[in-house]
Amino acid sequence: MNLRFEEEAKKERRKKIIKEVLIYLGEICLVVGLAWIIVNFTLKKIQVIGSAMDNTLYNGEEVIANTFIYNFTSPSRGTVIAFYPEKNAIMSDEVSDSNIIIRRVLGLPGEKIKMQNGVVYINGTPTEEKYEFDRNVSSGQAEEEILLGDDEFFVLSDKRTDLDDSRSSSFTKVKKENIIGPVFLALNPFSLISGPEKEEKK
């Protein structure tokens, strides 16, 4: 009787161990599966092209954009975004990852944008930007007030002397349908993306 009881107890322990191992393996598979979904469907690795985002991002640098969040919200002012250009703004009819542009959002849908002496005016009010940018720059077509449509954004280069942004008539405003997502992470060196900090006034 005692031997049978011990044998049954061993079987129960084995069943318990096997069950715990299977649950553990299942949890690992779930975590790996979720990580794969997140990496492949909500994040996108992008290579910076050109010097327009100096001194925040540099040519050839790899960054990560969130491709999911703008299904539920819209870009906010000051955010660095990645987007595809308008098809009529590129040589080919195909829009590929090699055409992706990265710029900083300054004007939001429905706003009136104007630039004077490097200062962005929104609906007639000067904007106090979080970061320090060169004020000795051309206003381009933003010298005259620009009205943004319900799905349009006004973007600027962080290197403000580079007019390859919404100040250029050939660049145009950015439509929401062409926006990939916010660029939030640089890979080398690994760091969150911000911008050139303003110097504290003494």
Side-chain angles (χ1 to χ4, degrees), residues 60 92 133:
S92 169
F133 298 107

Side-chain angles (χ1 to χ4, degrees), residues 114-129:
K114 188 174 183 178
M115 278 189 73
Q116 288 182 334
N117 301 318
V119 178
V120 180
Y121 289 79
I122 299 173
N123 298 328
T125 303
T127 301
E128 182 68 23
E129 295 191 66

Side-chain angles (χ1 to χ4, degrees), residues 2-16:
N2 193 33
L3 289 174
R4 182 178 292 179
F5 176 78
E6 289 181 358
E7 193 64 32
E8 289 295 325
K10 287 180 180 178
K11 285 183 180 179
E12 287 299 320
R13 282 198 295 270
R14 282 197 293 270
K15 286 181 181 179
K16 185 178 180 181

